[in-house]
């Protein structure tokens, strides 16, 4: 469930961003550093983006920055922290009817559950993200990719339940 990345292009883009400190630059740096595996730096920049968004008072930007920081927490292996952060983001985005952010947070949380091998919760989140993306009018390619993720998680969930059933019978 991890993104594929052109490491060279990501590194080049990070170099282009240099010392820029705008909200968009910090967010992009957080993502690039995470994808490049530079997780300590990604967490530092992600936390800076969250602070800057809080300072500006823009709740929408704050949720986006928190989601990106939670993705870094996931990559570090701090799954419980990531789930808590993403759940808060889902709740706030849903309450404000920011469907795109809600879908982003739910899909991100589903990926954390996937890494935790909690396939039931992952399946629930991935399925919810598909419906939200359809509601938003996402492209057929985006929907197809999300449906593929659902199918993968569903097969793992079924396999997990089948194995648990066999263990109970033994």
């Amino acid at each position: 469930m991890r993104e594929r990345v052109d490491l060279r292009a990501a590194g080049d883009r990070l170099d282009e961003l240099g010392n820029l400190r705008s909200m968009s630059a910090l967010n992009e740096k957080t993502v690039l550093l995470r994808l490049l595996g530079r997780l300590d730096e990604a967490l530092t920049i992600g936390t800076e983006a969250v602070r800057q968004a809080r300072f500006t008072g823009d709740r929408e930007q704050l949720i986006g920055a928190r989601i990106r920081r939670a993705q870094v927490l996931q990559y570090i292996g701090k799954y419980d922290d990531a789930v808590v952060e993403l759940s808060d983001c889902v709740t706030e985005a849903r309450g404000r009817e920011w469907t795109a952010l809600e879908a982003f947070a739910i899909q991100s949380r589903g990926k954390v559950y996937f890494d935790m091998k909690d396939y039931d919760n992952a399946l629930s989140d991935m399925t919810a993200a598909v419906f939200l993306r359809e509601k938003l009018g996402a492209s057929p390619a985006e929907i197809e990719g999300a449906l593929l993720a659902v199918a993968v998680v569903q097969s793992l969930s079924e396999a997990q339940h089948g194995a648990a059933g066999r263990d109970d019978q033994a």
Side-chain angles (χ1 to χ4, degrees), residues 118-129:
D118 180 348
Y119 300 127
D120 291 339
N121 279 322
L123 181 60
S124 176
D125 278 356
M126 297 287 188
T127 303

Side-chain angles (χ1 to χ4, degrees), residues 82-101:
V83 167
V84 168
E85 185 83 54
L86 291 166
S87 295
D88 288 347
C89 292
V90 168
T91 300
E92 185 168 353
R94 184 176 293 145
R96 295 178 183 269
E97 297 181 3
W98 293 333
T99 308
L101 280 173

Side-chain angles (χ1 to χ4, degrees), residues 67-123:
I67 293 167
R68 283 181 278 281
R69 183 177 64 183
Q71 290 173 325
V72 175
L73 292 171
Q74 171 195 359
Y75 273 55
I76 291 172
K78 294 184 176 186
Y79 301 129
D80 292 336
D81 292 342
V83 167
V84 168
E85 185 83 54
L86 291 166
S87 295
D88 288 347
C89 292
V90 168
T91 300
E92 185 168 353
R94 184 176 293 145
R96 295 178 183 269
E97 297 181 3
W98 293 333
T99 308
L101 280 173
E102 182 184 356
F104 183 30
I106 286 176
Q107 183 146 2
S108 296
R109 187 177 65 187
K111 290 178 181 182
V112 176
Y113 283 133
F114 182 85
D115 281 358
M116 296 171 72
K117 297 187 180 2
D118 180 348
Y119 300 127
D120 291 339
N121 279 322
L123 181 60

Side-chain angles (χ1 to χ4, degrees), residues 42-57:
L43 188 57
T44 299
I45 298 295
T47 299
E48 188 177 334
V50 168
R51 278 191 208 117
Q52 190 175 105
R54 276 198 179 111
F55 181 74
T56 66

